[in-house]
Amino acid sequence: WYLQPISELVPSFWPTRLLFPDHDGYVPMNPSVINHDGQPLVLVRTVNYTITEEGRYAIRSPDGGATGDSWPIDTRNYLVRLAGAGLVAERVTGIDLPANLPVAQFQLVRGFEDSRLFEWHGELWTVSTVRELTPQGLCEQVLAPIQDGPAGTSYGHNWSRVRSPTAQNEKNWMPWVRNGELCFVYRLGTLVDTSGQFVAS
């Protein structure tokens, strides 16, 4: 009752359903959208689970034959190029994990989650939540470029962890390039830099 529709605040806004093809039964969710070369470019996260009405995870088994809550959660990401007045998915490309990503230390949640897409120095970059880099499954923020090569599209091998300013689980940082410098909105009114240091609050 107290929240205005975004269309009242941003008259140019209109909702559009992204028709995303089925990929091995993974469920699309949580897109990140930027304006790239005058057209929307979308990074779509897909996952191997749904959430039941009771709030439980129904996770697909690795062979796709059953669901339960004991299988590892897996994320696969896709880059979707939209074109035309109807914003049709012109090209859908899977994003491979970095070739130099170490062997997972935490097996229950795999992949780059909640990737936020942005441009920096003329290149595509992401910041994502990654849990497989510590035995405890700590949620860490990982900065990685998107690279196209002969083998396809992937997160680049020069990825790096962004240190947490408070040594706790970290999710959903918002990238913000200001005057060519990359910062992250850590929470409303608080910025951190690429080394995880507070720069404004």
Side-chain angles (χ1 to χ4, degrees):
W1 53 269
Y2 57 87
L3 188 64
Q4 290 179 289
I6 191 172
S7 58
E8 292 186 15
L9 302 173
V10 184
S12 62
F13 172 83
W14 80 94
T16 266
R17 179 178 295 276
L18 175 61
L19 298 178
F20 191 78
D22 179 83
H23 285 278
D24 299 328
Y26 276 53
V27 180
M29 61 181 296
N30 199 5
S32 175
V33 186
I34 65 170
N35 185 341
H36 182 66
D37 293 334
Q39 290 289 342
L41 181 63
V42 188
L43 192 154
V44 177
R45 178 187 179 194
T46 69
V47 295
N48 65 337
Y49 66 85
T50 56
I51 298 178
T52 68
E53 291 183 1
E54 297 79 25
R56 296 175 61 90
Y57 283 79
I59 306 168
R60 295 176 70 246
S61 63
D63 62 7
T67 59
D69 57 9
S70 60
W71 307 106
I73 289 174
D74 186 45
T75 290
R76 297 177 184 172
N77 293 309
Y78 296 85
L79 206 57
V80 182
R81 300 185 187 278
L82 303 179
L87 298 180
V88 176
E90 181 180 60
R91 181 181 171 205
V92 178
T93 308
I95 308 172
D96 295 329
L97 293 176
N100 63 343
L101 195 67
V103 174
Q105 298 185 51
F106 185 72
Q107 298 290 337
L108 295 181
V109 182
R110 305 292 301 277
F112 280 30
E113 300 185 320
D114 305 325
S115 287
R116 303 292 182 239
L117 185 65
F118 62 99
E119 286 187 274
W120 186 33
H121 297 312
E123 298 180 336
L124 292 174
W125 286 80
T126 59
V127 61
S128 311
T129 299
V130 180
R131 297 190 60 186
E132 60 189 76
L133 299 176
T134 66
Q136 303 84 8
L138 191 69
C139 293
E140 297 183 292
Q141 293 296 282
V142 168
L143 178 65
I146 297 289
Q147 295 183 336
D148 281 317
T153 301
S154 67
Y155 292 98
H157 63 270
N158 59 332
W159 59 275
S160 61
R161 292 161 148 159
V162 184
R163 188 176 67 84
S164 165
T166 57
Q168 64 182 8
N169 286 297
E170 301 290 358
K171 287 179 70 71
N172 300 320
W173 291 12
M174 182 59 62
W176 182 25
V177 178
R178 57 172 192 168
N179 301 321
E181 179 187 8
L182 175 61
C183 299
F184 302 98
V185 179
Y186 180 70
R187 57 178 174 257
L188 290 180
T190 302
L191 301 179
V192 298
D193 61 18
T194 55
S195 63
Q197 299 295 313
F198 288 117
V199 294
S201 60

